[in-house]
Amino acid sequence: MQPRFFGSEAQQRMQAVAYALTPLLKDDPAYGTEGRMWGIDGPDLAEIDKVAALASLQGATVNHYVPKSREAQFAKEYAQLGFANDRWDQFMGRRDCLDICAAYVAGFKLPDQYVQHHIGPETPTRILNALGRTSAACGVLPPMTPVLFGQMRHAAYFCLEAPDGGVAACAGACLRNHPESRFGNAAWWGMLATRDRDRGQSLSLYLGALTALHMHETFGVEEFYTGVRSDNAVSRHVCQKLGVRDSEYACLAILDPSAFGEGGYTK
């Protein structure tokens, strides 16, 4: 099955290049991917050249687990090489997050006529199309299908089909790093999106909690992280309600201006 890529032309090209790089990088603990691009988490300054190469090839790359105390130093190094920077606060959840999520899922009742999908190779094309539309409307970028389906990385993605056949909400998580990496048991968690007409029913809260529980029960994950913009009050509220809170880390995007000159690769 040919992989499917999502988003704008630049985003799809980024995913396509990342897919092509997979045979070269997938067995190296230094590199990780959540299905959008390959990156290096918790980098040191000696790896700047590798990060720059990834950004040049893919159009963008990312560093998670960058101490906020060193964030400006890394951003300066990347800027001096001609790259644009973007950043998010790294929100994290641990054991208490799982307890909160378990309680939330246990007390949630799915609204009538909504259908839950655990996304995989058997997911109908119409649902994938609708997932792409809902995600794009919310500024969220789904990963390439080999990760979305849990084939290239341990992952879990869920969505809710609304009565009109569209995707009302979605969420997902992925063990983006190699098992031998020092981040090998930490899951990138996010892709929280809810369609405008379906808001007010706590759908993304439910799917976010469900995703975290599935990753814990299936793969033993006890640490989750995601990037949240400092001015995104809604996302910060959703994360905090599930026990995923701001940390001492930042997530940095390193962007080739010729590919992503008008902003970051995702919200």
Side-chain angles (χ1 to χ4, degrees), residues 150-168:
Q151 298 166 323
M152 199 169 94
R153 282 290 194 260
H154 288 320
Y157 290 88
F158 295 93
C159 72
L160 294 176
E161 180 183 356
D164 65 1
V167 164

Side-chain angles (χ1 to χ4, degrees), residues 79-149:
Q80 288 176 343
L81 292 173
F83 294 102
N85 291 317
D86 199 359
R87 59 92 60 200
W88 300 261
D89 292 317
Q90 183 166 318
F91 275 43
M92 301 186 67
R94 296 185 175 88
R95 183 73 229 190
D96 62 330
C97 157
L98 291 166
D99 294 335
I100 293 169
C101 288
Y104 194 88
V105 169
F108 184 83
K109 184 179 184 303
L110 192 65
D112 291 342
Q113 298 182 5
Y114 281 73
V115 179
Q116 182 173 301
H117 293 269
H118 184 178
I119 299 171
E122 72 290 342
T123 300
T125 299
R126 64 179 180 82
I127 295 297
L128 295 178
N129 291 341
L131 172 68
R133 289 192 294 270
T134 294
S135 298
C138 296
V140 172
L141 177 61
M144 66 179 85
T145 51
V147 173
L148 191 69
F149 296 165

Side-chain angles (χ1 to χ4, degrees), residues 5-147:
F5 309 119
F6 292 89
S8 67
E9 183 177 339
Q11 289 170 327
Q12 289 186 46
R13 180 193 175 278
M14 176 178 68
Q15 291 190 355
V17 174
Y19 180 73
L21 289 172
T22 296
L24 300 176
L25 303 181
K26 66 183 179 68
D27 296 322
D28 190 332
Y31 301 96
T33 184
E34 74 299 316
R36 294 165 171 169
M37 83 295 287
W38 286 92
I40 298 176
D41 289 346
D44 58 47
L45 291 173
E47 295 174 300
I48 292 290
D49 58 338
K50 295 179 181 179
V51 176
L54 289 172
S56 295
L57 288 168
Q58 300 172 125
T61 188
V62 68
N63 301 144
H64 299 287
Y65 287 93
V66 177
K68 288 179 178 174
S69 61
R70 302 186 68 196
E71 177 185 349
Q73 185 179 12
F74 277 95
K76 180 180 178 181
E77 292 281 345
Y78 296 137
Q80 288 176 343
L81 292 173
F83 294 102
N85 291 317
D86 199 359
R87 59 92 60 200
W88 300 261
D89 292 317
Q90 183 166 318
F91 275 43
M92 301 186 67
R94 296 185 175 88
R95 183 73 229 190
D96 62 330
C97 157
L98 291 166
D99 294 335
I100 293 169
C101 288
Y104 194 88
V105 169
F108 184 83
K109 184 179 184 303
L110 192 65
D112 291 342
Q113 298 182 5
Y114 281 73
V115 179
Q116 182 173 301
H117 293 269
H118 184 178
I119 299 171
E122 72 290 342
T123 300
T125 299
R126 64 179 180 82
I127 295 297
L128 295 178
N129 291 341
L131 172 68
R133 289 192 294 270
T134 294
S135 298
C138 296
V140 172
L141 177 61
M144 66 179 85
T145 51
V147 173

